[in-house]
Amino acid sequence: MERKEWPLWEVFVRSRNGLDHKHCGSVHAPDAKLALQVARDVYTRRQEGVSIWVVEASNIVASDPDAKPELFDPAEDKIYRHPTFYQLPDKVNHM
Amino acid sequence: MLLDDKSVYLMRLGDNALVLSQRLSEWCGKGPAFEEDMALTNTALDLIGQARMWLSYAGEVEGRGRDEDALAFRRDAHEFTNLLLVEQPNGDYAHTLVRQFFFDVWHHLTLDALTRSADDRIADIASKAIKEVAYHLRRSSDLVVRLGDGSAESRRRMQDAVDALWMFTGEMFKADETEELLGAQGLACDPSTLKDAWLAMVREVFDEATLTVPAGEWMQKGGKQGRHGEHLGLLLAEMQFLQRAYPNASW
């Protein structure tokens, strides 16, 4: 009998008082429904009021580590690109 | 004597959870996949927590100074009052799942009724336990469908397990005097009132799982009265060994 290999799922959890989902690990599961259950058992210990996202790993596109220079460096030496470079009038609150 | 009836009833609830938890823990490290292993042991831990609450309360009501440990480790098989269903051996994964599913449906219905118990403490324990059991039930019904409606082999194994365990389901709905008495007083759940709802739920899941509800009418009974099969004695021998060898050891 052939055993079906379970795909990999990445797990993102928003903790009870958290504002955003954070990547916390991965699980293997045959489908999304079971991936959620497993993630809940492994990563949340069933605390109430948390939210879980599972994403099949094959759906995630990552940036290329070798392309780091052209992706991220240009921002570093152009301080006028940063909002903090500009003086705001006092009338503008909460920026 | 009402107190006696109440402690008997509480002990039954505790024994069901305790014995099934012990069975499930036998799967630890042997599950068909790491994730299933986790889920089964999680369920075992939920049930042991529930067993502790029921047995502690049973010991208090009984008033003979027996705490949860004394009730779990110092009673013999003929003093255990669990349903015969939960002491059945794990068998293959299908047997474990079908046993779990049959019990989860009954357990959820029972706890739902107990959340409305006239006894506050029973209602409290039931309210805590039903959250866990809702999860157990969702999992077991989901897996029954997956494996029933899975491959030819998984379907055959599931139907075999259903046929083998069916005769242990009738006991769940056979009320005795204790249950009738406490049920009439709004303290406990008279199990005979659950049968139709239980069957409806089982049929619904089996339809989706392409499994057949057995026609067998003959049912085993006796667990609640302390008459068990040969399996329970072996289970207890393993579970109670340390406390029997070193009585009153603190741990």
Side-chain angles (χ1 to χ4, degrees):
Chain A
M1 179 184 142
E2 184 202 355
R3 186 178 177 278
K4 238 175 45 185
E5 224 21 83
W6 292 2
L8 184 71
W9 301 77
E10 297 300 333
V11 181
F12 301 79
V13 172
R14 184 168 61 75
S15 59
R16 199 185 320 211
N17 304 317
L19 294 170
D20 48 6
H21 286 71
K22 290 188 170 62
H23 180 247
C24 59
S26 49
V27 296
H28 284 275
D31 61 29
K33 191 171 161 190
L34 275 182
L36 268 180
Q37 287 194 5
V38 176
R40 170 262 202 192
D41 279 345
V42 177
Y43 293 110
T44 70
R45 298 286 173 195
R46 286 188 262 160
Q47 282 178 19
E48 308 198 11
V50 296
S51 159
I52 307 173
W53 290 345
V54 290
V55 185
E56 199 170 341
S58 59
N59 286 324
I60 294 177
V61 182
S63 59
D64 177 2
D66 294 337
K68 233 172 113 178
E70 62 262 39
L71 279 176
F72 307 112
D73 288 357
E76 276 178 22
D77 55 358
K78 302 186 184 63
I79 50 171
Y80 50 84
R81 285 186 160 205
H82 300 207
T84 47
F85 175 79
Y86 297 93
Q87 292 294 326
L88 282 174
D90 288 340
K91 278 182 288 188
V92 181
N93 289 326
H94 311 302
M95 279 296 281
Chain B
M1 169 68 189
L2 184 61
L3 273 188
D4 275 356
D5 281 309
K6 193 161 137 184
S7 68
V8 164
Y9 183 76
L10 290 165
M11 222 172 284
R12 288 174 185 175
L13 291 167
D15 286 349
N16 284 335
L18 175 62
V19 171
L20 186 55
S21 174
Q22 179 72 10
R23 277 285 179 241
L24 289 173
S25 65
E26 293 169 12
W27 272 105
C28 185
K30 301 193 180 92
F34 159 76
E35 288 79 3
E36 267 310 299
D37 215 275
M38 289 276 310
L40 279 181
T41 42
N42 250 315
T43 306
L45 287 170
D46 287 343
L47 289 169
I48 202 74
Q50 295 172 25
R52 292 184 61 183
M53 291 190 285
W54 293 125
L55 291 179
S56 297
Y57 190 23
E60 285 171 41
V61 173
E62 185 188 52
R64 286 173 45 198
R66 298 201 287 181
D67 64 1
E68 56 185 290
D69 281 349
L71 288 172
F73 297 110
R74 307 289 279 278
R75 279 183 303 149
D76 229 332
H78 67 273
E79 298 165 285
F80 265 76
T81 55
N82 56 279
L83 294 164
L84 297 170
L85 177 70
V86 297
E87 74 194 44
Q88 297 312 304
N90 287 338
D92 64 3
Y93 208 58
H95 278 75
T96 291
L97 270 183
V98 170
R99 181 187 64 197
Q100 193 66 37
F101 172 64
F102 284 164
F103 181 73
D104 288 346
V105 178
W106 177 88
H107 202 193
H108 195 268
L109 291 167
T110 300
L111 291 171
D112 179 51
L114 291 179
T115 56
R116 298 183 291 275
S117 168
D119 180 299
D120 285 348
R121 182 119 166 235
I122 290 178
D124 279 353
I125 297 174
S127 302
K128 187 174 184 307
I130 199 169
K131 290 186 205 169
E132 296 170 341
V133 174
Y135 174 73
H136 302 169
L137 176 59
R138 203 169 53 223
R139 236 185 65 79
S140 60
S141 28
D142 181 59
L143 284 165
V144 165
V145 170
R146 283 167 191 271
L147 289 166
D149 191 18
S151 69
E153 187 188 358
S154 72
R155 181 167 181 275
R156 180 184 57 75
R157 283 174 178 252
M158 289 299 279
Q159 189 65 56
D160 285 353
V162 167
D163 296 344
L165 292 167
W166 187 249
M167 65 177 167
F168 299 108
T169 56
E171 189 190 18
M172 298 196 282
F173 313 105
K174 251 192 105 50
D176 68 351
E177 281 178 11
T178 292
E179 286 157 340
E180 283 167 1
L181 184 78
L182 296 177
Q185 296 183 327
L187 289 170
C189 165
D190 178 339
S192 59
T193 60
L194 305 178
K195 189 173 181 176
D196 292 345
W198 184 89
L199 264 176
M201 172 85 191
V202 168
R203 276 185 205 286
E204 190 186 330
V205 171
F206 277 16
D207 282 350
E208 207 184 334
T210 70
L211 295 169
T212 311
V213 176
E217 294 283 317
W218 185 81
M219 293 290 174
Q220 293 274 15
K221 59 180 190 298
K224 287 191 279 202
Q225 288 73 34
R227 295 193 308 278
H228 296 275
E230 68 205 52
H231 304 298
L232 185 66
L234 294 166
L235 179 144
L236 294 180
E238 187 173 14
M239 188 177 96
Q240 299 176 335
F241 166 77
L242 200 80
Q243 283 291 306
R244 299 281 191 186
Y246 305 95
N248 305 326
S250 63
W251 53 329

